[in-house]
């Protein structure tokens, strides 16, 4: 099943720079060499859950001659040999010991088999991701539990159940403490990405996500610096430049630095005069400058080039709403009204437009969405206050 899923995924990834044989600067041989270092890292993390990272920046190996690659290959060959020998030794024999050996051999080989689609020859832009080991680790835990049970029965035949229970409680307590200490990192988006950036500072996606988390916390100046670091790291292909461009402009606008935002948009438009996103962000800049008619004109130009440009629909609607044209705003928002995006400003504006025409139910729905989304605390707080004012359920 894993092999079939991998083949299907490989077909769907054709032409992608994130997965498959088109990943830049990462040949199947280099990826396999890298995985000979990755799998021991998985084993270390499973042995004791410490030093986890939300988004690993794991450098690729140059070839099979690196000492760490040779050591990793020797370890995996040794484990496979041990599994085969254990299975052969247990063949045809009864009792706890042979049964535990069979379970251990099966579990180890299952671990490697389930990991194979992501940890063999098919390159992925992220060589290591902790979630890939979740299903595979079942094999190791199954084998480890079988071996531990057999050892306890042999060493303490009369007290094996009690000793096993005590060992299980001790291990669970220790893992619970480790989980509790790690849970602080997951207490907020900002805590997670600050921890990740401290461990993977050289990854563009990490810096972009850190910037978004900082912007969500209202720390826009720091967010801009993170976005700038992400722009310098674009060569790793984990993100595209458009997302940085959008976030930088919006951060400048949130700081009230309209001219700085305009400068970013102007640079993009000089390079690509017919870029729908740049025109949409020009609409955002004009809206931030209070030029609603200019904002509408730029938004309409963006939509003529690409009717699916969500930012253009957003600022066209917001400009109309500020001019008092609620019906026109609703018409502008229509293409994005039911799109799943994280933008409390957009949903708050849609809610206000609905409220102005008396559609309280739709207004409450949009205010509720805006109040629960990250990205702009002030907009979310205003949406929450509006929900209370309307008496939304």
């Amino acid at each position: 099943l894993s092999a079939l899923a991998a083949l299907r995924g490989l077909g769907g990834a054709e032409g992608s720079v994130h997965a498959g044989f088109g990943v830049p600067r990462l040949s199947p041989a280099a990826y396999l060499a890298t995985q000979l270092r990755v799998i021991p890292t998985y084993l270390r993390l499973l042995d004791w859950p410490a030093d986890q990272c939300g988004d690993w920046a794991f450098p690729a190996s140059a070839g099979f001659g690196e000492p760490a690659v040779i050591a990793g290959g020797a370890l995996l060959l040794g484990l496979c040999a041990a599994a085969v020998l254990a299975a052969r030794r247990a063949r045809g024999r009864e009792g706890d010991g042979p049964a535990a050996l069979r379970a251990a051999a099966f579990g180890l080989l299952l671990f490697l088999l389930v990991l194979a689609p992501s940890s063999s020859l098919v390159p992925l832009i992220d060589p290591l991701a902790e979630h890939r080991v979740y299903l595979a680790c079942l094999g190791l835990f199954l084998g480890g539990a079988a071996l531990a049970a057999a050892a306890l029965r042999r060493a303490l035949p009369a007290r094996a159940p009690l000793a096993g229970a005590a060992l299980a409680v001790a291990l669970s307590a220790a893992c619970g403490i480790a989980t509790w200490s790690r849970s602080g990192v997951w207490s907020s988006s900002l805590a997670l990405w600050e921890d990740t950036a401290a461990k993977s500072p050289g990854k563009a996606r990490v810096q972009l996500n850190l910037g978004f988390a900082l912007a969500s916390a209202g720390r826009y100046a720091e967010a801009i610096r993170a976005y700038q670091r992400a722009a310098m790291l674009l060569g790793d292909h984990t993100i595209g430049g458009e997302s940085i461009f959008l976030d930088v402009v919006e951060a400048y606008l949130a700081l009230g630095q309209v001219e700085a935002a305009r400068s970013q948009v102007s640079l993009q438009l000089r390079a690509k005069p017919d870029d729908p996103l740049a025109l949409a962000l020009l609409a955002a800049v004009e809206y931030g400058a209070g030029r609603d008619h200019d904002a509408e004109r730029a938004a309409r130009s963006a939509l003529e080039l690409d009717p699916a440009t969500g930012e253009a629909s957003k600022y066209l609607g917001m400009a109309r709403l500020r001019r008092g044209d609620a019906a026109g705003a609703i018409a502008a928002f229509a293409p994005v009204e039911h799109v799943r995006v994280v933008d409390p400003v957009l949903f708050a504006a849609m809610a206000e437009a609905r409220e102005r025409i008396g559609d309280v139910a739709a207004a409450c729905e949009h205010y509720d969405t805006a109040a629960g989304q990250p990205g702009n605390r002030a907009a979310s707080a205003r949406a929450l206050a509006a929900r209370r004012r309307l008496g939304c359920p």
Side-chain angles (χ1 to χ4, degrees):
L1 288 174
S2 291
L4 289 173
L7 288 172
R8 183 176 179 182
L10 186 59
E14 187 175 357
S16 168
V17 298
H18 297 282
F21 299 116
V23 176
R25 299 190 301 276
L26 193 58
S27 67
Y31 189 75
L32 178 59
T34 305
Q35 293 307 305
L36 294 178
R37 294 166 38 234
V38 167
I39 295 176
T41 304
Y42 287 147
L43 292 172
R44 175 180 62 79
L45 290 169
L46 287 171
D47 180 60
W48 184 248
D51 299 322
Q52 301 104 316
C53 180
D55 194 345
W56 284 72
F58 199 90
S61 295
F64 292 98
E66 295 179 4
V69 173
I70 295 171
L75 173 64
L76 293 180
L77 284 175
L79 291 174
C80 289
V84 172
L85 290 173
R88 292 186 64 180
R89 183 175 180 182
R91 182 185 299 169
R93 298 172 58 195
E94 301 296 331
D96 283 351
L101 288 176
R102 284 191 291 271
F106 172 81
L108 178 57
L109 295 176
L110 176 66
F111 171 76
L112 296 174
L113 177 66
V114 175
L115 267 185
S118 62
S119 295
S120 55
L121 288 169
V122 181
L124 300 172
I125 194 71
D126 297 302
L128 187 156
E130 291 173 12
H131 66 271
R132 293 177 191 155
V133 82
Y134 291 168
L135 179 59
C137 70
L138 173 63
L140 295 181
F141 295 155
L142 174 67
L147 289 173
L152 285 172
R153 287 176 178 174
R154 185 172 182 175
L156 303 167
R159 298 182 179 179
L162 180 62
L167 180 61
V169 169
L171 285 173
S172 297
C175 288
I177 293 170
T179 300
W180 175 80
S181 65
R182 175 69 178 167
S183 66
V185 172
W186 294 89
S187 62
S188 70
S189 176
L190 182 56
L192 172 64
W193 290 109
E194 284 181 330
D195 177 80
T196 304
K199 296 170 180 174
S200 297
K203 194 168 187 176
R205 186 171 58 219
V206 170
Q207 295 297 334
L208 178 66
N209 286 331
L210 173 62
F212 185 78
L214 288 165
S216 298
R219 294 160 60 178
Y220 295 106
E222 294 172 80
I224 290 170
R225 289 194 288 273
Y227 294 144
Q228 290 170 340
R229 289 193 295 271
M232 295 172 63
L233 297 167
L234 278 175
D236 68 7
H237 299 283
T238 56
I239 58 172
E242 280 193 354
S243 53
I244 299 176
F245 172 49
L246 170 64
D247 291 335
V248 166
V249 171
E250 291 191 338
Y252 275 126
L253 290 174
L255 284 171
Q257 298 180 17
V258 176
E259 292 311 311
R262 188 186 298 280
S263 175
Q264 294 289 319
V265 173
S266 297
L267 285 172
Q268 182 71 5
L269 284 173
R270 279 199 291 272
K272 297 180 180 179
D274 294 328
D275 182 357
L277 179 60
L279 288 167
L281 291 178
L282 177 60
V285 170
E286 301 296 7
Y287 178 84
R291 302 171 181 171
D292 293 338
H293 288 289
D294 291 337
E296 287 190 51
R297 183 165 55 251
R300 285 196 300 268
S301 296
L303 291 169
E304 287 173 5
L305 291 167
D306 183 0
T309 308
E311 287 295 304
S313 296
K314 169 184 172 179
Y315 284 101
L316 178 60
M318 290 175 64
R320 288 176 177 176
L321 183 63
R322 192 158 64 181
R323 290 195 295 102
D325 183 6
I330 291 170
F333 290 140
V336 293
E337 187 167 10
H338 299 291
V339 176
R340 294 182 179 181
V341 295
V342 178
D343 190 340
V345 174
L346 170 62
F347 284 100
M350 289 193 294
E352 184 180 346
R354 291 290 181 178
E355 182 183 354
R356 288 190 187 184
I357 66 168
D359 189 350
V360 175
C364 285
E365 180 182 349
H366 291 319
Y367 278 135
D368 185 61
T369 302
Q373 288 189 335
N376 189 308
R377 286 186 175 180
S380 296
R382 289 194 299 269
L384 185 61
R387 285 188 77 256
R388 292 171 180 156
R389 173 172 50 78
L390 288 177
C392 298

